[in-house]
């Protein structure tokens, strides 16, 4: 059993939408996949194997006239294409805290007990401040509520209530996910994982990172940690 204070010292943030937070809380989600974004416009991902091992790289596209060609005398030329190695966002053993859709309720309006409660002053960029209150989470409210929810990206670290430990991380093509992977993502066999995936991708990026594009992804396996508040 860990305390929140112990975990917060080393925890890294990871974002999940409300539906995924609920399946984590239900104990049905133990994996997540994240697209490996290209850093440059004239590159692509591929697997490279050499004396240093096998890994994914981002390498410059092979384009006639840029990386290879034919000289006037008929001889050919070719440049060594530069590449970089994408770094995984998390590695085995990392502690993560989940950023989720949230709000803070002043103690006078609070209807819950036992969840993270603050007693120090919290000030926001607009100078609005709360001195006492409890954090509440959209995942706990399946029915519409008259609460102004804040997006997960803005959740302060002290609001964290879900902590995960990474138990594995690897690279794969998105469409290589099997039935075990679908279930570990929190779905049932036969559920449309492609629809779930595409719902997380911006429309402008669909041709690169949507399901049909079959991008390379980081597959992150995790376990939920028990935390004493």
């Amino acid at each position: 059993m860990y305390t929140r204070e112990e975990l917060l010292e080393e925890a890294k943030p990871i974002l999940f939408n409300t539906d995924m937070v609920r399946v984590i809380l239900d104990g049905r989600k133990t994996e997540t996949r994240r697209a490996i974004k290209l850093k440059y416009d004239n590159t692509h991902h591929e697997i490279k194997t050499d004396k240093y091992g096998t890994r994914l790289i981002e390498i410059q596209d092979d384009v006639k006239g840029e990386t290879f060609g034919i000289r006037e005398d008929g001889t050919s030329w070719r440049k060594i294409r530069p590449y970089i190695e994408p770094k995984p966002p998390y590695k085995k053993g990392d502690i993560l805290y989940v950023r989720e859709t949230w709000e803070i309720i002043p103690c006078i309006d609070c209807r819950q007990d036992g969840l993270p409660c603050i007693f120090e002053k919290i000030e926001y960029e607009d100078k609005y401040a709360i001195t006492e209150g409890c954090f509440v989470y959209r995942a706990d409210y399946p029915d519409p509520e008259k609460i102004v929810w804040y997006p997960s990206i803005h959740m302060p670290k002290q609001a964290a209530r879900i902590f995960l430990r990474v138990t594995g991380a690897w690279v794969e093509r998105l469409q290589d996910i099997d039935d075990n992977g679908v279930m570990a993502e929190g779905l049932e066999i036969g559920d449309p994982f492609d629809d779930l995936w595409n719902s997380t991708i911006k429309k402008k990026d669909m041709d690169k990172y949507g399901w049909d594009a079959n991008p390379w992804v980081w597959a992150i396996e995790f376990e939920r940690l028990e935390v004493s508040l």
Side-chain angles (χ1 to χ4, degrees):
M1 182 75 72
Y2 299 88
T3 65
R4 293 180 66 257
E5 289 70 23
E6 291 172 335
L7 295 175
L8 283 174
E9 288 183 2
E10 57 177 308
K12 300 177 180 179
I14 184 169
L15 272 69
F16 286 102
N17 65 32
T18 297
D19 288 338
M20 293 299 99
V21 170
R22 287 175 179 149
V23 291
I24 290 174
L25 293 172
D26 288 344
R28 296 187 290 114
K29 185 174 179 66
T30 57
E31 288 182 9
T32 185
R33 283 160 176 77
R34 306 295 165 105
I36 304 176
K37 300 295 183 66
L38 290 164
K39 188 174 182 180
Y40 301 101
D41 293 332
N42 63 340
T43 57
H44 65 277
H45 288 132
E46 64 179 56
I47 294 293
K48 180 178 179 61
T49 300
D50 55 21
K51 64 180 180 179
Y52 302 107
T54 299
R55 69 270 191 207
L56 184 74
I57 62 171
E58 180 178 341
I59 189 168
Q60 183 182 0
D61 296 335
D62 207 8
V63 180
K64 186 175 182 179
E66 292 184 14
T67 61
F68 72 95
I70 304 295
R71 300 184 182 92
E72 292 183 359
D73 61 5
T75 59
S76 61
W77 60 270
R78 178 173 290 277
K79 291 182 179 179
I80 297 177
R81 291 181 291 162
Y83 68 86
I84 59 176
E85 296 182 31
K87 302 299 181 184
Y90 312 109
K91 63 182 184 300
K92 185 175 180 179
D94 281 351
I95 303 298
L96 314 178
Y97 72 92
V98 173
R99 279 183 164 175
E100 54 181 307
T101 304
W102 64 286
E103 173 58 291
I104 187 167
I105 304 297
C107 284
I108 193 171
D109 296 322
C110 191
R111 292 177 294 165
Q112 65 178 14
D113 38 73
L115 290 179
C117 190
I118 59 161
F119 295 99
E120 72 277 10
K121 187 175 182 179
I122 292 183
E123 293 190 4
Y124 298 89
E125 293 181 0
D126 61 0
K127 305 304 180 182
Y128 175 69
I130 291 178
T131 55
E132 293 181 352
C134 290
F135 292 107
V136 293
Y137 309 92
R138 183 69 183 87
D140 295 336
Y141 293 81
D143 298 320
E145 293 282 339
K146 293 181 179 180
I147 298 175
V148 178
W149 298 103
Y150 291 97
S152 56
I153 190 67
H154 298 309
M155 191 191 86
K157 194 172 185 178
Q158 61 265 48
R161 61 165 176 165
I162 303 173
F163 293 86
L164 312 172
R165 177 164 47 215
V166 177
T167 56
W170 63 92
V171 168
E172 65 182 21
R173 297 301 289 261
L174 176 61
Q175 294 181 17
D176 286 343
I177 189 171
D178 57 15
D179 287 345
N180 290 330
V182 169
M183 293 182 67
E185 284 274 2
L187 303 178
E188 299 292 338
I189 294 177
D191 286 347
F193 182 73
D194 54 343
D195 289 346
L196 172 63
W197 176 266
N198 284 341
S199 70
T200 68
I201 304 298
K202 295 179 180 178
K203 186 175 181 179
K204 67 181 180 64
D205 294 331
M206 199 65 71
D207 61 333
K208 286 185 178 181
Y209 306 116
W211 174 264
D212 290 339
N214 196 24
W216 289 95
V217 298
W218 300 114
I220 310 297
E221 181 185 54
F222 56 82
E223 61 182 358
R224 186 179 172 194
L225 298 175
E226 292 188 22
V227 182
S228 61
L229 301 175

